């Protein structure tokens, strides 16, 4: 009996001790300000993710972001072509044709000469699984096309299953390449539009 009373007394003391320490405290915590993404968050973003201020890699004007020293070209987009966000290597990109027969059109520019005509044409031939040609053979296939304020060199290269139309010019210390590549039949349908596109380019 004494043992039971002692146990009850100890339990009561323990409960009283808990009541004295179990006060509910309320804290007010101010909201943290908006923060910029940390290094870990930035590293988790894909490498091709657009800048938040430039959705899709396009500037507010709808043009791709370019270096301040790069000339600003003007052109007329043929009917049926769609301008698409360019990759980091391109000045501008377009697509034409149905999804299952689409061709890719690009404008690329580099400082300097951009290699010889023979080297460039042979590189495009290699992309179409064609053997290289001699500089004299390439020269015989290159034709001139007068644009709005410059003259372009052009070539039409047909491979086993794909075709490339290319136009290029060197101006003010830069070289400009305009290309259309895709299935042979699809490129043939857009050849007239590509010629008009090149003729519309203004520096």
């Amino acid at each position: 009996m004494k043992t039971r009373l002692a146990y009850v007394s100890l339990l009561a003391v323990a409960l009283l001790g808990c009541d004295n320490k179990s006060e509910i405290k309320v804290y007010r915590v101010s909201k943290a300000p908006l923060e910029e993404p940390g290094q870990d968050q930035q590293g988790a973003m894909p490498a091709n993710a657009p800048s938040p201020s430039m959705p899709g890699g396009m500037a507010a004007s709808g043009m791709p972001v370019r270096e301040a020293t790069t000339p600003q070209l003007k052109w007329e987009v043929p009917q049926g072509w769609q301008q698409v966000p360019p990759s980091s290597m391109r000045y501008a990109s377009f697509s034409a044709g149905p999804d299952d027969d689409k061709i890719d059109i690009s404008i690329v520019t580099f400082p300097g000469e951009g290699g010889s005509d023979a080297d460039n044409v042979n590189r495009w031939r290699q992309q179409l699984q064609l053997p290289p040609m001699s500089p004299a053979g390439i020269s015989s296939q290159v034709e001139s096309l007068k644009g709005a304020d410059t003259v372009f060199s052009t070539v039409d290269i047909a491979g086993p299953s794909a075709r490339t139309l290319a136009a290029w010019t060197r101006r003010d210390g830069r070289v400009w390449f305009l290309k259309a590549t895709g299935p042979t039949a699809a490129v043939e349908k857009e050849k007239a539009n590509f010629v008009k596109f090149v003729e519309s380019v203004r520096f």
Side-chain angles (χ1 to χ4, degrees):
M1 185 68 175
K2 290 181 179 180
T3 302
R4 180 178 295 180
L5 288 173
Y7 175 77
V8 171
S9 300
L10 289 172
L11 182 62
V13 171
L15 290 174
L16 287 173
C18 290
D19 289 341
N20 291 336
K21 295 179 181 179
S22 60
E23 297 177 1
I24 299 175
K25 296 181 180 180
V26 179
Y27 297 92
R28 293 184 179 274
V29 180
S30 60
K31 291 185 179 180
L34 293 176
E35 298 177 355
E36 294 295 328
Q39 291 293 336
D40 293 341
Q41 291 173 298
Q42 291 177 350
M45 294 178 68
N48 61 347
S51 168
S53 60
M54 298 293 180
M58 305 292 286
S61 62
M63 297 297 295
V65 180
R66 309 185 182 101
E67 297 177 6
T69 56
T70 305
Q72 299 296 305
L73 261 61
K74 296 180 181 179
W75 55 74
E76 296 178 10
V77 181
Q79 185 175 2
W81 286 21
Q82 293 183 335
Q83 187 163 359
V84 296
S87 66
S88 59
M89 294 293 293
R90 293 187 174 192
Y91 185 91
S93 289
F94 308 84
S95 65
D99 291 338
D100 57 346
D101 215 20
K102 193 175 290 294
I103 71 171
D104 174 64
I105 304 104
S106 63
I107 300 178
V108 177
T109 182
F110 299 103
E113 293 294 309
S116 68
D117 291 352
D119 288 342
N120 291 321
V121 172
N122 275 328
R123 185 176 66 255
W124 301 329
R125 288 179 60 84
Q126 183 181 16
Q127 292 169 354
L128 298 177
Q129 302 178 2
L130 293 172
M133 292 181 64
S134 67
I138 290 173
S139 180
S140 67
Q141 295 189 359
V142 174
E143 298 181 356
S144 297
L145 177 62
K146 191 176 185 307
D149 53 7
T150 193
V151 177
F152 289 87
S153 298
T154 66
V155 71
D156 185 343
I157 310 170
S161 59
R163 184 174 173 182
T164 290
L165 305 175
W168 63 96
T169 188
R170 295 174 177 86
R171 181 186 176 97
D172 299 329
R174 302 188 72 90
V175 60
W176 296 84
F177 297 104
L178 288 71
K179 286 176 55 187
T181 301
T184 303
V187 171
E188 176 62 29
K189 291 179 182 178
E190 294 297 331
K191 184 172 183 178
N193 280 335
F194 181 76
V195 171
K196 291 179 181 178
F197 174 65
V198 174
E199 290 174 336
S200 75
V201 170
R202 288 174 171 80
F203 291 86

